[in-house]
Amino acid sequence: DGKIVPVQITIRLLHKAMQKGQKEGKTDFLIDGFPRNWDNVNGWEEVIGDSAEVMGVLFFEASLAEMEKRLLGRSVTSGRVDDNLESIRKRFATYEKETKPILEKYQKEHKVFKIDAMQ
């Protein structure tokens, strides 16, 4: 449906993975696709707080048409039922409504590193 996983589940999984990594001596983590909304940001700040610093956000820039084309191409082999035009467009709408404002927050903090993903 293009909806986002509840923050309680996401934060619990991230925290557990980070703790495991820390036990192995890791100090830096690359977290893919997070945070996606204000609930994620608030949950991160409540659970993780100052124990981890957000050093930056990687933002891969590509046009909606290109992303749609790639996702539909992926659908040929992915077996994912949500790789269809309707679900893809719902994901784009969710991004615009819930994720884009988070990107803007990190842009104001000069933490966004844009990567041209059209190549």
Side-chain angles (χ1 to χ4, degrees), residues 34-93:
F34 185 87
R36 293 191 181 196
N37 60 29
W38 285 112
D39 198 31
N40 286 173
V41 171
N42 295 332
W44 175 269
E45 290 172 356
E46 288 171 14
V47 175
I48 306 299
D50 292 334
S51 66
E53 176 188 0
V54 176
M55 298 174 69
V57 174
L58 299 177
F59 181 70
F60 294 85
E61 289 185 294
S63 69
L64 289 177
E66 181 63 23
M67 290 188 288
E68 192 173 276
K69 180 179 117 184
R70 290 178 187 180
L71 288 168
L72 287 172
R74 178 179 78 173
S75 72
V76 174
T77 58
S78 72
R80 290 179 53 159
V81 295
D82 63 343
D83 276 347
N84 61 68
L85 195 54
E86 182 182 349
S87 293
I88 290 167
R89 289 187 175 161
K90 283 181 183 179
R91 279 185 263 172
F92 290 161

Side-chain angles (χ1 to χ4, degrees), residues 14-32 44 48 51-56 58:
L14 287 172
H15 194 233
K16 185 177 178 181
M18 290 171 68
Q19 287 177 322
K20 181 179 183 241
Q22 287 171 329
K23 288 178 184 174
E24 298 168 358
K26 296 177 182 167
T27 59
D28 299 316
F29 302 93
L30 177 63
I31 302 172
D32 181 26
W44 175 269
I48 306 299
S51 66
E53 176 188 0
V54 176
M55 298 174 69
L58 299 177

